[in-house]
Amino acid sequence: MSAENGTNGIPDTPAGSTPPAGPRPEPIRFYGTTWVNHDNGYPARRAGLAVGSLAAAAAACFVLRIAYQGLQIADIGSFVSLLMIVMFAICSALAFRHTWSGFTSRPDPDRQASMRGLLAIGFVGSLLAYFFRTFTEAPGEKLHRAEYENARAEYEKRTTRRSGNPSKKRRRR
């Protein structure tokens, strides 16, 4: 069992040893590379992050409620209050959908940059998507696993083709 180096979740290699051959799994935030073999506290991390994301969503809803009560105290009118509720509901729904789809495919960087403001407003939706996804897997695990398995297969295909000494190869006539 090797220790993770703490900066990017890639296991440290002992001094004097060579790193493992082939592609290395990409770490997932909060999970490191424990998603590969579901070891080193992976189930506890999933449970803890599910509870944490739900608690963060509940705290965010509480803060939004205080903001809404502030608008009511300011007596700015029912139209603005309704507009605020609709805006947060729509932005949260869009953030939920965007975050949920980001777990199964790599998001387009340009689209991600253009949606940054909407995702910030609808942060409750992103937290809820994270919460629901932790029931089935580490968020993004399926995508990372598919990419890692594909890279391993490509690596195996490349290394099995290269066998023997090429200088001793017979020339076809």
Side-chain angles (χ1 to χ4, degrees):
M1 195 169 21
S2 64
E4 293 183 14
N5 64 12
T7 56
N8 58 6
I10 298 173
D12 287 331
T13 54
S17 68
T18 59
R24 298 169 80 177
E26 182 179 349
I28 297 176
R29 181 182 297 167
F30 304 121
Y31 293 92
T33 56
T34 61
W35 61 269
V36 178
N37 297 321
H38 294 184
D39 58 356
N40 294 335
Y42 172 82
R45 286 183 193 197
R46 268 188 45 200
L49 287 168
V51 170
S53 62
L54 185 61
C61 288
F62 180 72
V63 169
L64 289 176
R65 180 175 178 217
I66 291 174
Y68 178 74
Q69 287 175 343
L71 290 176
Q72 284 183 328
I73 291 170
D75 197 28
I76 57 171
S78 60
F79 177 72
V80 176
S81 297
L82 180 68
L83 195 62
M84 183 183 126
I85 292 170
V86 170
M87 175 198 61
F88 274 107
I90 290 172
C91 289
S92 290
L94 290 173
F96 181 94
R97 177 67 182 124
H98 180 76
T99 304
W100 190 266
S101 66
F103 295 142
T104 56
S105 64
R106 295 276 180 183
D108 179 30
D110 293 333
R111 185 170 185 261
Q112 184 83 9
S114 68
M115 290 188 67
R116 188 166 289 137
L118 183 126
L119 292 173
I121 294 170
F123 62 98
V124 175
S126 294
L127 289 169
L128 290 175
Y130 198 88
F131 168 72
F132 287 120
R133 192 54 167 211
T134 55
F135 285 122
T136 56
E137 66 175 6
E141 179 181 344
K142 185 184 288 185
L143 172 66
H144 284 77
R145 188 170 301 282
E147 290 174 350
Y148 178 63
E149 295 297 327
N150 187 24
R152 292 289 303 170
E154 289 292 321
Y155 175 77
E156 293 297 325
K157 190 169 33 168
R158 281 194 317 266
T159 56
T160 55
R161 262 191 301 205
R162 298 183 204 156
S163 60
N165 187 348
S167 66
K168 292 183 179 179
K169 204 176 214 182
R170 289 187 190 172
R171 303 263 179 198
R172 292 184 188 180
R173 294 180 184 183

